[in-house]
């Protein structure tokens, strides 16, 4: 989809007509419509039928690539909102009429309109129902409707999901200006209708948002004049290298901040359904300290339920687009597992994971399990014992905090599982472990355990949490 963000100064230069050539070379556009267009003469344009909602066309993107796309919405200004077949919805965009090359053939239209079932995921249904029961039957499955989750059945859940998808197909906020960057959004988010269609300006420290820059500037100046903290509310529980910190923010104590965080995050998360009911959640906000303004600026976050009967140690995770590809995703995952190990338990993220979430978790699980197996083998050979041959999945889970089913999934992906007499057995040589580790070109960015200052809310029974435990 390309890196659809730029610094705010660069955006101002473009709007003033300066520096447009340099930006165009990167394939980034303030309007989202610069770049290569399909060659179309006036005569051909007049002869070509106009695209209609639901029709499928071959569209020339600004990069010059041609893709099949379904027309989702038509504006009164000759603009068309399209969804590209077999691509994530974050690539959906407004295009002009001259970008349409030709209408797709019948077989291509059927392929473009077909796709995976949009039925609500059973894990989400289970959570909605459990939450409703805890609230005496007053729970709601999401912020888009008021259906009692305890009364949902499969068909109703499917209809709700279809209705949600129809309602959220078109991005309602085109871009946000946040931490000095203007970021093009990926998905719809339930901001109040007054903000629809507008670029939003966001305060770095309170996450308050406004349609006009002057309003956020005035808010920031008043906030600074009052001497209020230039960091997220809550407690700092991690102080890592390079000015990276993690803040624990309870939804029940900081409702407005957490609600705004969820609204902004939804612009970059497709299936997030929690926006306003933040009380049962704790939010862990990752920040970077900038000496120039002595402020801690938000990089991303993860959230988790205060009490999860399913042992979920993470409900939602996001690194904002302008900070991606710097390892902050795996750092957040690593921090979630370090907290899980301090709780002396095992955890797993809520499913389903997004495509980017799957990549980050697979990277973290693979590295963690390979290095744990390597270190266990090193300990075994150091004292002459044969501990490595007796390692079990349960032991790996207690050492890493990773839940057993995720360990099995990762070991299967690494082709380390063998089946003997109906039981799964981990079978791998040290040379294979070393080779797999050496082949990882970009090791995940991990938390520094000694930099964590956090006490779990309750102390479960003791069990080994490090390689030196007996």
């Amino acid at each position: 989809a390309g890196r659809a963000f730029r610094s705010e100064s660069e955006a101002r230069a473009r709007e003033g007509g300066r520096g447009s050539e340099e930006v165009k070379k990167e394939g980034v556009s303030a309007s989202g419509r610069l770049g290569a267009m399909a060659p179309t003469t006036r005569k051909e344009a007049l002869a070509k039928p106009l695209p209609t909602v639901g029709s499928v066309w071959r569209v020339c993107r600004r990069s010059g690539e041609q893709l099949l796309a379904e027309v989702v919405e038509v504006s009164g200004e000759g603009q068309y909102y399209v969804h590209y077949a077999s691509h994530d919805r974050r690539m959906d965009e407004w295009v002009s009429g001259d970008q349409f090359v030709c209408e797709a053939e019948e077989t291509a239209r059927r392929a473009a309109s077909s796709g995976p079932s949009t039925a609500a995921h059973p894990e989400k249904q289970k959570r909605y129902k459990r939450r409703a029961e805890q609230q005496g039957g007053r729970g709601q499955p999401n912020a888009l409707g008021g259906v009692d989750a305890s009364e949902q059945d499969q068909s109703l859940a499917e209809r709700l999901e279809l209705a949600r998808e129809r309602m959220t197909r078109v991005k309602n906020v085109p871009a946000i200006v946040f931490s000095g960057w203007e970021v093009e959004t990926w998905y719809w988010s339930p901001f109040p209708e007054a903000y629809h269609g507008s670029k939003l300006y966001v305060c770095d420290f309170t996450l308050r948002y406004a349609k006009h820059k002057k309003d956020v500037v005035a808010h920031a100046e008043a906030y600074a004049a009052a001497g209020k903290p230039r960091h997220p509310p809550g407690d700092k529980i991690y102080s890592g290298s390079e000015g990276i910190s993690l803040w624990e923010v309870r939804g029940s104590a900081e409702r407005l901040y957490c609600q705004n965080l969820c609204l902004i995050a939804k612009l970059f998360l497709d299936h997030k359904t929690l926006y306003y009911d933040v009380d049962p959640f704790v939010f862990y906000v990752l920040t970077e300290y900038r000496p120039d303004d002595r402020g801690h600026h938000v990089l991303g976050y993860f959230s988790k339920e205060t009490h999860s009967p399913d042992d979920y140690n993470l409900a939602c995770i996001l690194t904002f687009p302008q900070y991606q590809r710097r390892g902050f995703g795996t750092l957040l995952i690593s921090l979630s597992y370090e907290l899980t190990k301090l709780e002396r338990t095992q955890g797993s993220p809520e499913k389903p994971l997004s495509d980017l979430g799957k990549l980050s978790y697979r990277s973290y699980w693979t590295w963690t399990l390979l290095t744990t197996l390597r270190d266990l083998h090193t300990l075994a050979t150091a004292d002459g014992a044969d501990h490595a041959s007796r390692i079990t999945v349960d032991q790996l889970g207690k050492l890493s905090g990773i839940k057993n089913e995720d360990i099995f999934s990762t070991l299967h992906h690494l082709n380390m599982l063998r089946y003997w007499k109906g039981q799964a057995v981990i079978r791998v040589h040290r040379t294979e472990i070393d080779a797999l580790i050496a082949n990882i070109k970009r090791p995940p960015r991990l938390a520094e355990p000694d930099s964590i200052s956090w006490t779990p809310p309750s102390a479960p029974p003791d069990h080994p949490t490090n390689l030196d435990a007996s």
Side-chain angles (χ1 to χ4, degrees):
R3 301 194 66 178
F5 55 85
R6 54 190 178 275
S7 68
E8 189 179 357
S9 59
E10 185 181 302
R12 287 198 302 270
R14 170 172 299 124
E15 291 169 1
R18 301 183 300 276
S20 59
E21 282 301 315
E22 289 77 11
V23 177
K24 186 176 178 181
K25 288 176 183 177
E26 298 177 10
V28 182
S29 164
S31 65
R33 290 184 289 277
L34 285 182
M37 300 294 185
T40 306
T41 66
R42 179 172 178 80
K43 183 177 180 181
E44 289 171 336
L46 291 173
K48 187 169 61 178
L50 292 175
T52 57
V53 173
S55 61
V56 178
W57 290 70
R58 190 166 294 280
V59 174
C60 183
R61 304 194 70 216
R62 59 193 177 194
S63 64
E65 180 185 18
Q66 292 189 10
L67 296 173
L68 280 179
E70 178 187 358
V71 179
V72 177
E73 189 168 306
V74 180
S75 77
E77 302 173 352
Q79 297 294 311
Y80 302 84
Y81 194 83
V82 298
H83 168 68
Y84 296 105
S86 304
H87 288 76
D88 189 90
R89 291 204 304 170
R90 64 174 167 266
M91 291 183 62
D92 295 3
E93 61 182 348
W94 289 97
V95 300
S96 57
D98 57 359
Q99 288 181 255
F100 289 87
V101 178
C102 62
E103 192 165 9
E105 298 177 357
E106 180 62 29
T107 53
R109 286 200 297 271
R110 286 199 299 268
S113 60
S114 63
S117 171
T118 57
H121 196 278
E123 289 289 337
K124 296 291 183 184
Q125 294 180 47
K126 182 168 68 172
R127 180 174 133 194
Y128 298 150
K129 184 174 181 180
R130 184 179 70 247
R131 294 268 303 283
E133 290 171 349
Q134 291 171 351
Q135 297 172 13
R138 296 188 301 275
Q140 292 181 340
N142 54 52
L144 304 178
V147 179
D148 189 334
S150 63
E151 297 175 0
Q152 286 191 88
D153 57 16
Q154 182 66 25
S155 60
L156 177 57
E158 290 177 3
R159 291 198 299 273
L160 285 170
E161 181 66 13
L162 287 170
R164 182 200 69 85
E165 186 166 310
R166 283 194 297 270
M167 182 183 293
T168 64
R169 290 195 80 177
V170 179
K171 302 169 191 174
N172 55 344
V173 174
I176 61 171
V177 178
F178 184 37
S179 293
W181 294 89
E182 181 174 334
V183 188
E184 293 181 8
T185 61
W186 295 355
Y187 305 109
W188 178 94
S189 182
F191 281 90
E193 192 170 349
Y195 297 92
H196 289 193
S198 301
K199 177 167 66 178
L200 299 184
Y201 295 84
V202 182
C203 173
D204 288 3
F205 307 114
T206 66
L207 303 187
R208 300 284 185 93
Y209 52 86
K211 293 166 61 174
H212 304 290
K213 182 177 180 178
K214 61 181 179 63
D215 294 333
V216 168
V217 170
H219 164 76
E221 290 174 348
Y223 186 82
K228 294 185 178 179
R230 300 174 66 79
H231 58 71
D235 300 320
K236 184 196 285 191
I237 64 169
Y238 176 79
S239 298
S241 58
E242 301 178 11
I244 303 300
S245 302
L246 189 74
W247 306 80
E248 183 179 64
V249 186
R250 296 196 170 273
S252 57
E254 301 289 346
R255 287 193 184 94
L256 184 58
Y257 182 91
C258 295
Q259 288 170 355
N260 288 344
L261 178 61
C262 289
L263 284 173
I264 297 167
K266 177 63 185 73
L267 294 168
F268 308 100
L269 296 170
D270 192 10
H271 288 95
K272 181 178 178 61
T273 54
L274 169 72
Y275 317 122
Y276 299 110
D277 185 15
V278 296
D279 284 19
F281 289 85
V282 183
F283 296 80
Y284 294 90
V285 184
L286 191 72
T287 63
E288 181 179 48
Y289 180 75
R290 296 181 187 171
D292 57 342
D293 67 356
R294 294 181 296 174
H296 294 263
H297 295 263
V298 177
L299 305 172
Y301 82 102
F302 73 88
S303 62
K304 60 184 280 189
E305 287 186 279
T306 307
H307 302 288
S308 174
D310 299 307
D311 295 326
Y312 292 135
N313 66 351
L314 186 144
C316 186
I317 183 172
L318 173 71
T319 303
F320 285 103
Q322 65 268 39
Y323 303 115
Q324 290 179 2
R325 303 186 66 82
R326 291 177 58 186
F328 293 130
T330 50
L331 176 59
L332 284 166
I333 293 170
S334 175
L335 285 163
S336 74
Y337 277 106
E338 290 300 328
L339 300 186
T340 297
K341 288 190 282 186
L342 288 173
E343 292 177 316
R344 302 193 174 214
T345 184
Q346 294 171 248
S348 180
E350 277 194 25
K351 313 299 191 298
L353 293 169
S354 66
D355 53 348
L356 298 178
K358 288 177 183 176
L359 290 174
S360 296
Y361 266 96
R362 182 66 71 193
S363 170
Y364 175 80
W365 288 335
T366 297
W367 179 266
T368 300
L369 293 177
L370 286 175
T371 53
T372 302
L373 287 169
R374 179 198 61 193
D375 294 344
L376 286 169
H377 182 270
T378 300
L379 285 175
T381 55
D383 60 15
D386 193 22
H387 298 314
S389 64
R390 297 196 300 271
I391 187 68
T392 66
V393 169
D394 284 341
Q395 288 172 306
L396 283 175
K398 289 178 180 179
L399 292 168
S400 65
I402 302 173
K403 213 166 185 184
N404 287 9
E405 54 261 37
D406 297 326
I407 295 175
F408 274 113
S409 170
T410 305
L411 293 177
H412 177 77
H413 176 75
L414 294 171
N415 197 30
M416 289 184 177
L417 286 183
R418 300 292 184 271
Y419 292 90
W420 184 71
K421 293 185 178 181
Q423 289 188 330
V425 178
I426 304 170
R427 186 179 184 277
V428 62
H429 294 285
R430 173 60 184 263
T431 54
E432 295 176 66
I433 295 174
D434 291 339
L436 286 168
I437 293 174
N439 285 335
I440 298 176
K441 297 178 181 178
R442 189 182 176 190
R445 187 170 184 170
L446 303 178
E448 304 159 35
D450 293 340
S451 298
I452 297 175
S453 177
W454 184 76
T455 302
S458 59
D462 291 344
H463 72 264
T465 57
N466 57 66
L467 294 177
D468 297 326
S470 58

